[in-house]
mmCIF file of all heavy atoms in Angstrom:
data_model
loop_
_atom_site.group_PDB
_atom_site.id
_atom_site.type_symbol
_atom_site.label_atom_id
_atom_site.label_comp_id
_atom_site.label_asym_id
_atom_site.label_seq_id
_atom_site.Cartn_x
_atom_site.Cartn_y
_atom_site.Cartn_z
ATOM 1 N N SER W 1141 0.231 -14.031 -4.647
ATOM 2 C CA SER W 1141 1.376 -13.210 -4.958
ATOM 3 C C SER W 1141 1.218 -12.692 -6.370
ATOM 4 O O SER W 1141 0.900 -13.439 -7.283
ATOM 5 C CB SER W 1141 2.610 -14.060 -4.822
ATOM 6 O OG SER W 1141 3.711 -13.348 -5.419
ATOM 7 N N LYS W 1142 1.559 -11.345 -6.596
ATOM 8 C CA LYS W 1142 1.587 -10.835 -7.918
ATOM 9 C C LYS W 1142 2.615 -11.470 -8.726
ATOM 10 O O LYS W 1142 2.365 -11.725 -9.922
ATOM 11 C CB LYS W 1142 1.781 -9.321 -7.798
ATOM 12 C CG LYS W 1142 0.644 -8.575 -7.152
ATOM 13 C CD LYS W 1142 1.048 -7.143 -6.867
ATOM 14 C CE LYS W 1142 2.044 -7.133 -5.606
ATOM 15 N NZ LYS W 1142 2.266 -5.697 -5.135
ATOM 16 N N SER W 1143 3.781 -11.700 -8.141
ATOM 17 C CA SER W 1143 4.902 -12.313 -8.970
ATOM 18 C C SER W 1143 4.602 -13.774 -9.272
ATOM 19 O O SER W 1143 5.150 -14.260 -10.308
ATOM 20 C CB SER W 1143 6.103 -12.158 -8.196
ATOM 21 O OG SER W 1143 6.113 -12.858 -6.968
ATOM 22 N N LEU W 1144 3.767 -14.476 -8.482
ATOM 23 C CA LEU W 1144 3.459 -15.838 -8.860
ATOM 24 C C LEU W 1144 2.277 -15.970 -9.828
ATOM 25 O O LEU W 1144 1.947 -17.086 -10.327
ATOM 26 C CB LEU W 1144 3.183 -16.629 -7.583
ATOM 27 C CG LEU W 1144 4.373 -16.864 -6.647
ATOM 28 C CD1 LEU W 1144 3.887 -17.551 -5.314
ATOM 29 C CD2 LEU W 1144 5.491 -17.676 -7.294
ATOM 30 N N GLY W 1145 1.496 -14.804 -9.931
ATOM 31 C CA GLY W 1145 0.413 -14.850 -10.874
ATOM 32 C C GLY W 1145 -0.836 -15.555 -10.365
ATOM 33 O O GLY W 1145 -1.709 -15.896 -11.211
ATOM 34 N N ASN W 1146 -0.867 -15.872 -9.084
ATOM 35 C CA ASN W 1146 -2.058 -16.684 -8.534
ATOM 36 C C ASN W 1146 -2.968 -15.793 -7.815
ATOM 37 O O ASN W 1146 -3.579 -16.228 -6.745
ATOM 38 C CB ASN W 1146 -1.458 -17.812 -7.782
ATOM 39 C CG ASN W 1146 -0.761 -17.350 -6.409
ATOM 40 O OD1 ASN W 1146 -0.463 -16.179 -6.354
ATOM 41 N ND2 ASN W 1146 -0.609 -18.288 -5.532
ATOM 42 N N TYR W 1147 -3.102 -14.525 -8.163
ATOM 43 C CA TYR W 1147 -3.854 -13.624 -7.328
ATOM 44 C C TYR W 1147 -5.165 -13.159 -7.915
ATOM 45 O O TYR W 1147 -5.412 -13.254 -9.078
ATOM 46 C CB TYR W 1147 -2.965 -12.317 -7.024
ATOM 47 C CG TYR W 1147 -2.665 -11.445 -8.232
ATOM 48 C CD1 TYR W 1147 -3.430 -10.292 -8.443
ATOM 49 C CD2 TYR W 1147 -1.677 -11.765 -9.126
ATOM 50 C CE1 TYR W 1147 -3.213 -9.491 -9.587
ATOM 51 C CE2 TYR W 1147 -1.536 -10.958 -10.242
ATOM 52 C CZ TYR W 1147 -2.275 -9.762 -10.468
ATOM 53 O OH TYR W 1147 -2.071 -8.989 -11.512
ATOM 54 N N ILE W 1148 -5.950 -12.577 -7.081
ATOM 55 C CA ILE W 1148 -7.184 -11.826 -7.437
ATOM 56 C C ILE W 1148 -7.031 -10.412 -7.122
ATOM 57 O O ILE W 1148 -6.869 -9.971 -6.057
ATOM 58 C CB ILE W 1148 -8.446 -12.492 -6.602
ATOM 59 C CG1 ILE W 1148 -8.630 -13.903 -6.743
ATOM 60 C CG2 ILE W 1148 -9.776 -11.683 -7.137
ATOM 61 C CD1 ILE W 1148 -9.601 -14.478 -5.726
ATOM 62 N N GLY W 1149 -6.939 -9.574 -8.190
ATOM 63 C CA GLY W 1149 -6.880 -8.171 -8.065
ATOM 64 C C GLY W 1149 -8.085 -7.535 -7.565
ATOM 65 O O GLY W 1149 -9.140 -7.814 -7.983
ATOM 66 N N ILE W 1150 -7.905 -6.540 -6.605
ATOM 67 C CA ILE W 1150 -9.100 -5.932 -6.049
ATOM 68 C C ILE W 1150 -9.766 -5.070 -6.934
ATOM 69 O O ILE W 1150 -11.067 -4.758 -6.862
ATOM 70 C CB ILE W 1150 -8.851 -5.228 -4.692
ATOM 71 C CG1 ILE W 1150 -8.025 -4.006 -4.931
ATOM 72 C CG2 ILE W 1150 -8.149 -6.115 -3.631
ATOM 73 C CD1 ILE W 1150 -7.788 -3.098 -3.657
ATOM 74 N N ALA W 1151 -9.103 -4.628 -8.047
ATOM 75 C CA ALA W 1151 -9.743 -3.852 -9.112
ATOM 76 C C ALA W 1151 -10.207 -4.599 -10.269
ATOM 77 O O ALA W 1151 -10.677 -3.976 -11.286
ATOM 78 C CB ALA W 1151 -8.767 -2.742 -9.555
ATOM 79 N N GLU W 1152 -10.183 -5.930 -10.273
ATOM 80 C CA GLU W 1152 -10.556 -6.698 -11.365
ATOM 81 C C GLU W 1152 -12.164 -6.550 -11.528
ATOM 82 O O GLU W 1152 -12.809 -6.124 -10.504
ATOM 83 C CB GLU W 1152 -10.225 -8.223 -11.146
ATOM 84 C CG GLU W 1152 -8.783 -8.590 -11.340
ATOM 85 C CD GLU W 1152 -8.474 -10.002 -11.175
ATOM 86 O OE1 GLU W 1152 -9.408 -10.781 -11.644
ATOM 87 O OE2 GLU W 1152 -7.436 -10.382 -10.730
ATOM 88 N N ALA W 1153 -12.594 -6.978 -12.648
ATOM 89 C CA ALA W 1153 -14.039 -6.925 -12.927
ATOM 90 C C ALA W 1153 -14.801 -7.846 -11.902
ATOM 91 O O ALA W 1153 -14.296 -8.920 -11.489
ATOM 92 C CB ALA W 1153 -14.288 -7.401 -14.343
ATOM 93 N N PRO W 1154 -16.009 -7.471 -11.526
ATOM 94 C CA PRO W 1154 -16.818 -8.274 -10.585
ATOM 95 C C PRO W 1154 -16.922 -9.743 -11.022
ATOM 96 O O PRO W 1154 -16.813 -10.612 -10.281
ATOM 97 C CB PRO W 1154 -18.096 -7.556 -10.553
ATOM 98 C CG PRO W 1154 -17.838 -6.146 -10.918
ATOM 99 C CD PRO W 1154 -16.793 -6.192 -11.923
ATOM 100 N N GLU W 1155 -17.211 -10.005 -12.339
ATOM 101 C CA GLU W 1155 -17.387 -11.279 -12.840
ATOM 102 C C GLU W 1155 -15.985 -12.113 -12.613
ATOM 103 O O GLU W 1155 -16.167 -13.368 -12.347
ATOM 104 C CB GLU W 1155 -17.710 -11.331 -14.243
ATOM 105 C CG GLU W 1155 -19.182 -10.733 -14.531
ATOM 106 C CD GLU W 1155 -19.281 -9.214 -14.491
ATOM 107 O OE1 GLU W 1155 -18.151 -8.550 -14.430
ATOM 108 O OE2 GLU W 1155 -20.251 -8.653 -14.481
ATOM 109 N N SER W 1156 -14.919 -11.517 -12.846
ATOM 110 C CA SER W 1156 -13.676 -12.239 -12.642
ATOM 111 C C SER W 1156 -13.422 -12.585 -11.199
ATOM 112 O O SER W 1156 -12.998 -13.649 -10.910
ATOM 113 C CB SER W 1156 -12.537 -11.305 -13.190
ATOM 114 O OG SER W 1156 -11.344 -11.949 -13.012
ATOM 115 N N ILE W 1157 -13.629 -11.636 -10.336
ATOM 116 C CA ILE W 1157 -13.411 -11.973 -8.905
ATOM 117 C C ILE W 1157 -14.308 -13.045 -8.414
ATOM 118 O O ILE W 1157 -13.947 -13.992 -7.816
ATOM 119 C CB ILE W 1157 -13.621 -10.594 -8.076
ATOM 120 C CG1 ILE W 1157 -12.628 -9.533 -8.344
ATOM 121 C CG2 ILE W 1157 -13.711 -10.962 -6.536
ATOM 122 C CD1 ILE W 1157 -12.935 -8.216 -7.706
ATOM 123 N N TYR W 1158 -15.604 -12.996 -8.795
ATOM 124 C CA TYR W 1158 -16.580 -13.918 -8.348
ATOM 125 C C TYR W 1158 -16.083 -15.310 -8.913
ATOM 126 O O TYR W 1158 -16.080 -16.335 -8.189
ATOM 127 C CB TYR W 1158 -17.939 -13.668 -8.956
ATOM 128 C CG TYR W 1158 -19.085 -14.554 -8.408
ATOM 129 C CD1 TYR W 1158 -19.823 -14.198 -7.211
ATOM 130 C CD2 TYR W 1158 -19.391 -15.784 -8.902
ATOM 131 C CE1 TYR W 1158 -20.822 -14.908 -6.752
ATOM 132 C CE2 TYR W 1158 -20.352 -16.583 -8.400
ATOM 133 C CZ TYR W 1158 -21.049 -16.236 -7.366
ATOM 134 O OH TYR W 1158 -21.968 -16.951 -6.742
ATOM 135 N N GLY W 1159 -15.834 -15.404 -10.177
ATOM 136 C CA GLY W 1159 -15.415 -16.705 -10.829
ATOM 137 C C GLY W 1159 -14.190 -17.229 -10.192
ATOM 138 O O GLY W 1159 -13.983 -18.506 -10.005
ATOM 139 N N LYS W 1160 -13.141 -16.384 -9.887
ATOM 140 C CA LYS W 1160 -11.885 -16.872 -9.302
ATOM 141 C C LYS W 1160 -12.121 -17.412 -7.867
ATOM 142 O O LYS W 1160 -11.513 -18.488 -7.470
ATOM 143 C CB LYS W 1160 -10.853 -15.767 -9.283
ATOM 144 C CG LYS W 1160 -10.273 -15.491 -10.596
ATOM 145 C CD LYS W 1160 -9.226 -14.387 -10.512
ATOM 146 C CE LYS W 1160 -8.542 -14.194 -11.887
ATOM 147 N NZ LYS W 1160 -7.403 -13.186 -11.864
#
Side-chain angles (χ1 to χ4, degrees):
S1141 167
K1142 294 168 287 188
S1143 58
L1144 294 174
N1146 67 345
Y1147 70 100
I1148 306 171
I1150 67 173
E1152 285 187 37
E1155 294 78 10
S1156 177
I1157 294 173
Y1158 190 98
K1160 285 183 176 181

